[in-house]
Amino acid sequence: MGYLGNHLATIATGSFAAILTGLWPYFVDFAPILNFVFIMAVPITWFLTFTCWISQKSADYMHKHAPAHTHSEKKSLSNIQTIQTTTTGSQINLSDIKQVQSELSGELNNLKESVKLKDSEIERLNQEISNLQTLVQIESLKTELANLKMLASERKNK
């Protein structure tokens, strides 16, 4: 992007349209055909100026939201493939990428295994909680039964 923000076509067309608009009053009296030429040329150049401006705005918008591109290169002397990143300019070997990919795959598998272990432990703890709830219910039933037996024995004694 240069000093003009990629609007060189807009500025050139706009300056031509402004010059034509400024010269129009001076050439009206010369010939009717010149008046017709200016009547046609001035609106067309202003339309072209607007078209250039709106198309550059559209291009700027699309490139602003486009993903960053990387360039791949093949070296002719060797079979090593490299990728050159646009931000740092450094090169990464394909073997390095494969190595990092395998390391990340190993870490991912370890995480999956630990998640499976955690899931099984959570399931086991949920089972223990339900067992404890059952035990608490049994104990409360035993207590109620003991209270009822005491009440029944007190009524028999009376």
Side-chain angles (χ1 to χ4, degrees), residues 15-27 38 42 46:
S15 60
F16 183 63
I19 290 170
L20 281 178
T21 305
L23 291 177
W24 189 4
Y26 296 110
F27 289 101
F38 275 101
V42 170
W46 281 114

Side-chain angles (χ1 to χ4, degrees), residues 50 60 72-73 89-90 126 153:
F50 174 74
D60 290 344
S72 63
E73 297 176 347
S90 63
N126 282 335
S153 67

Side-chain angles (χ1 to χ4, degrees), residues 125-143:
L125 289 173
N126 282 335
Q127 184 64 36
E128 280 187 34
I129 289 171
S130 65
N131 290 341
L132 287 174
Q133 287 175 344
T134 305
L135 287 174
V136 167
Q137 289 173 349
I138 290 172
E139 288 298 321
S140 66
L141 287 173
K142 282 182 182 178
T143 307

Side-chain angles (χ1 to χ4, degrees), residues 102-118:
S102 64
E103 289 174 5
L104 290 175
S105 295
E107 288 180 21
L108 180 64
N109 290 335
N110 289 340
L111 285 174
K112 285 180 180 179
E113 289 176 21
S114 67
V115 165
K116 286 180 184 177
L117 290 174
K118 297 291 182 188

